[in-house]
Amino acid sequence: MRKLLISSAALLLLAACDSSKKKCHVGADGSVGAFEAGSAADFVHNAGDRVYFDYNKHHLSHDATTALDRQAAWLMNYPHVNVTVEGHCDERGTEKYNMILGEKRAKAVKDYAAALGVHADRLNTISYGKSKPQVIGNTEEAYARNRVAITVVH
Amino acid sequence: MIRNFIKILFLMIVTLLTTHEGSATDPLKLTLNKGRFAKILVAIHPFESMAEPGIEANIRKVIEADLNNCGFFYSVDRPAFPETLKGFGAQPRPDLWKKLNISAVLNCRVYNKNFGTLGIDCKLYDLVTGRHLSFPFTFRPEQWRRVAHMIADSIYCRLMGYPKGYFDSKIFYVSRSGKYSDPNFRLAMMDYDGANHRFVTDGMNMISMPAMPNSGKEIAFVEVISDKKKNKQHKIYRMDLLTHRKSLVGNTSLSTYAPAYSPDGKFLVYSASKDGNSSIYLMNLETGQARRLTNTPGVIDTSPSFSADQRKIFFESDRNGKQQIFSMNVDGSDIQNISYGNGKYCNPVCSPVSEWIAFVKQQGSEFSLCVMRPDGSGERAVALGNGNVLDTPTWSPNGQVIIYTRQSLGDKKGRGRYSRLCSQDVTGRQENLYPTPTDALDAAWVG
């Protein structure tokens, strides 16, 4: 039922766009972006590419699932697009443990998107542990932005 | 005798200072007090040389640096020498040197040998015991640094009473450069003192977690590889250091991490995982057969390490909720928790020569580098994070020094961030930072 709802929502949004599909895409938030439909830039700007996690956790928060609903809707609109979900951790931990924690985060995103109907074969995962921080800074805000799963369009 | 007594006294002081878990104040802050330790004074006499000029002074400088850097010695400068020895055959007068508390005098001569090689004869006068040591080396001119390290190792072993030194050794590590969010990771190598630095891999693919067998002939590391569909995975590779030929370890669909060799070099223990389910595996490198040693669904078992006697494997697991250190037999039986204290116990690495296990401890946001016995007793901190993240310890080939990664996250905006290798004497007395050309992490030490 939920799957159906999201698909219909995505279809409605698409219908709002005119025929020049290449240039125009309406994002899940209703904004119109000037990105090639189905491109990596389109995904980042109109679906959002990342979800955040609590310290040492890999469970999806309410905010995370809301964000993933948009990602999944976008992915179902472009069934030819494959993605890699990258799991990341903040830097206040040890490398070997964080590598596996990042795997768990990527897996959580993959499972949720698959449950919404995105074919699991389209969702590759990899962990970068703490080796590729997205932002730097010795603050709680910076740590929080590094505890992230980023969906990257191939 | 007196020297041994002093050594034991040092160890006792350090142990007293750093035994924690349950002391009244924060005992981790008490570890380092370098001024407390008296150093053994040695004199490296100018060498007689009949070879190309300069080489004898270079060798002498490296020997002095090795001895000074290890924390146990002070190399007395030449102006303070009580006498100048007249040639290689002349013996120092013990009373003159002992008056200045100088325990040992090294005198050498360098000369040309056949086929472009050089010879160096060394005499170490141990003025405390009166037992002198003579040793020669033959070397090619470009090997002068290595010979200097070998001479320094001989002095260190004789005066400290250890069977093996560590100056003649190499450090492999992961060099990180470029943008922080998408860095370039290259395998690099250098002598123990940072000299002869060079890059081993090109940085095309991300690499991490290097490990080496005691033979030093090959290296294992984790590399990110992509298939035709752009799907990426972490996989352990072994690389022959002579030919640079690389081979994939295992034919599993799992991601593989955290390789560590057995002391005899015939086995590789590592973790393999899928979707955050991580278990310890053991591979026979001769047959290529892998065997799964742990199997608890949903947990993170990683960072395995063989004991020096090859009878146990230690690893990290969060099976009880937080990261702790466990021991097991090499067939996976008899898994036991050996970490009882507060905080997280991470990344156990067994000493190659003794029963000590080095590990990283995390209490809240504070990290420390610690050691303990295989039964979890004798835990003490040897280096403190003081706000930095500590990670990935590795032992010197003689089990006396640990190199680890020290990572500073910088200020609020990340200014001043760095990641460096630090070496730390296990008694907690001497800490050195490697001035590598890039950020450095994940050392493997072999010699």
Side-chain angles (χ1 to χ4, degrees), chain B residues 10-202:
Chain B
F10 286 160
L11 288 172
M12 281 170 58
I13 292 169
V14 171
T15 309
L16 283 174
L17 282 175
T18 57
T19 303
H20 54 99
E21 296 300 345
S23 316
T25 54
D26 182 0
L28 293 185
K29 296 220 161 62
L30 295 173
T31 321
L32 303 172
N33 190 346
K34 285 161 193 164
R36 197 179 289 273
F37 305 109
K39 297 192 174 183
I40 299 170
L41 302 190
V42 292
I44 314 299
H45 197 276
F47 304 163
E48 209 178 286
S49 180
M50 290 152 280
E52 62 176 282
I55 202 159
E56 83 283 1
N58 286 338
I59 291 174
R60 199 169 158 259
K61 262 185 231 158
V62 168
I63 296 171
E64 287 188 321
D66 284 353
L67 297 176
N68 287 333
N69 287 343
C70 82
F72 288 95
F73 303 99
Y74 179 76
S75 173
V76 176
D77 281 344
R78 192 179 169 188
F81 289 3
E83 62 173 335
T84 300
L85 301 181
K86 291 188 172 55
F88 181 66
Q91 290 221 4
R93 279 181 53 192
D95 54 321
L96 291 180
W97 297 85
K98 279 159 84 173
K99 205 185 285 178
L100 299 175
N101 288 322
I102 292 170
S103 298
V105 177
L106 178 80
N107 197 10
C108 301
R109 70 171 167 205
V110 187
Y111 52 95
N112 290 311
K113 288 185 87 166
N114 298 335
F115 309 113
T117 61
L118 300 173
I120 184 165
D121 293 337
C122 308
K123 277 187 185 164
L124 179 67
Y125 299 96
D126 185 340
L127 304 171
V128 176
T129 63
R131 287 163 58 216
H132 306 323
L133 192 66
S134 296
F135 47 96
F137 293 105
T138 300
F139 62 104
R140 294 191 303 277
E142 67 271 19
Q143 293 174 308
W144 66 269
R145 277 189 166 274
R146 177 139 198 239
V147 161
H149 292 315
M150 290 162 89
I151 295 168
D153 274 333
S154 301
I155 299 170
Y156 170 92
C157 290
R158 164 51 73 95
L159 300 184
M160 297 303 295
Y162 298 141
K164 196 172 178 198
Y166 65 90
F167 303 128
D168 176 29
S169 62
K170 297 212 179 300
I171 295 157
F172 287 73
Y173 73 95
V174 174
S175 152
R176 184 177 66 197
S177 55
K179 189 169 162 42
Y180 55 82
S181 61
D182 192 19
N184 201 16
F185 292 94
R186 280 175 294 177
L187 186 66
M189 68 180 289
M190 59 189 177
D191 294 351
Y192 114 89
D193 59 356
N196 291 321
H197 185 279
R198 66 174 195 266
F199 293 103
V200 181
T201 61
D202 58 13

Side-chain angles (χ1 to χ4, degrees), chain B residues 351-364:
Chain B
S351 160
V353 296
S354 71
E355 291 199 319
W356 288 105
I357 298 165
F359 62 97
V360 172
K361 191 168 185 179
Q362 189 182 355
Q363 288 175 291

Side-chain angles (χ1 to χ4, degrees), chain B residues 371-428:
Chain B
V371 294
M372 66 179 173
R373 295 286 188 188
D375 62 358
S377 66
E379 177 181 327
R380 61 186 169 88
V382 295
L384 307 179
N386 292 324
N388 296 339
V389 177
L390 308 187
D391 206 352
T392 56
T394 181
W395 290 87
S396 63
N398 72 346
Q400 292 299 328
V401 182
I402 298 166
I403 288 181
Y404 62 96
T405 307
R406 179 177 284 274
Q407 186 186 9
S408 164
L409 302 183
D411 69 6
K412 278 189 292 190
K413 292 189 169 171
R415 287 176 296 221
R417 270 172 69 86
Y418 66 82
S419 176
R420 287 283 182 270
L421 302 180
C422 283
S423 71
Q424 174 70 58
D425 183 87
V426 287
T427 61

Side-chain angles (χ1 to χ4, degrees), chain A residues 50 55-58 82-88 90-108 110-111 121-143 146 150 152-154, chain B residues 176 179-183 185 206 208-209 224 229-234 255 257-258 271 273-278 298-303 316 318 321 323 344 346-347 360 362 364-365 367 387 389-392 407 409-415 417 441-442:
Chain A
R50 51 197 72 195
Y55 177 69
N56 203 15
K57 294 283 187 287
H58 63 277
N82 293 338
V83 296
T84 293
V85 182
E86 299 177 352
H88 296 271
D90 75 37
E91 296 175 278
R92 295 166 310 156
T94 46
E95 176 189 39
K96 295 182 179 86
Y97 177 86
N98 277 359
M99 206 52 110
I100 316 294
L101 177 61
E103 267 188 18
K104 286 183 189 260
R105 288 177 175 165
K107 159 81 168 163
K110 174 178 173 165
D111 283 358
D121 286 350
R122 298 171 56 202
L123 302 158
N124 183 45
T125 59
I126 189 165
S127 173
Y128 289 116
K130 65 170 180 174
S131 64
K132 294 187 176 186
Q134 296 304 301
V135 295
I136 54 171
N138 205 348
T139 61
E140 288 298 332
E141 298 91 283
Y143 306 152
N146 287 328
I150 306 175
V152 179
V153 169
H154 285 189
Chain B
R176 184 177 66 197
K179 189 169 162 42
Y180 55 82
S181 61
D182 192 19
F185 292 94
M206 176 180 166
S208 61
M209 306 180 196
V224 173
K229 293 177 176 170
K230 296 189 192 169
N231 290 335
K232 292 177 186 162
Q233 209 175 10
H234 292 268
S255 297
Y257 301 103
S271 72
S273 63
K274 184 170 171 55
D275 300 334
N277 262 302
S278 177
V299 306
I300 298 179
D301 291 345
T302 188
S303 194
E316 169 192 322
D318 67 347
Q323 289 154 269
K344 298 177 191 168
C346 320
N347 207 151
V360 172
Q362 189 182 355
S365 57
F367 288 75
V389 177
L390 308 187
D391 206 352
T392 56
Q407 186 186 9
L409 302 183
D411 69 6
K412 278 189 292 190
K413 292 189 169 171
R415 287 176 296 221
R417 270 172 69 86
L441 53 154
D442 285 21

Side-chain angles (χ1 to χ4, degrees), chain B residues 210-229:
Chain B
M212 296 184 81
N214 291 329
S215 71
K217 287 183 178 158
E218 64 174 64
I219 189 162
F221 53 81
V222 178
E223 182 167 345
V224 173
I225 52 159
S226 303
D227 66 13
K228 282 179 194 153
K229 293 177 176 170

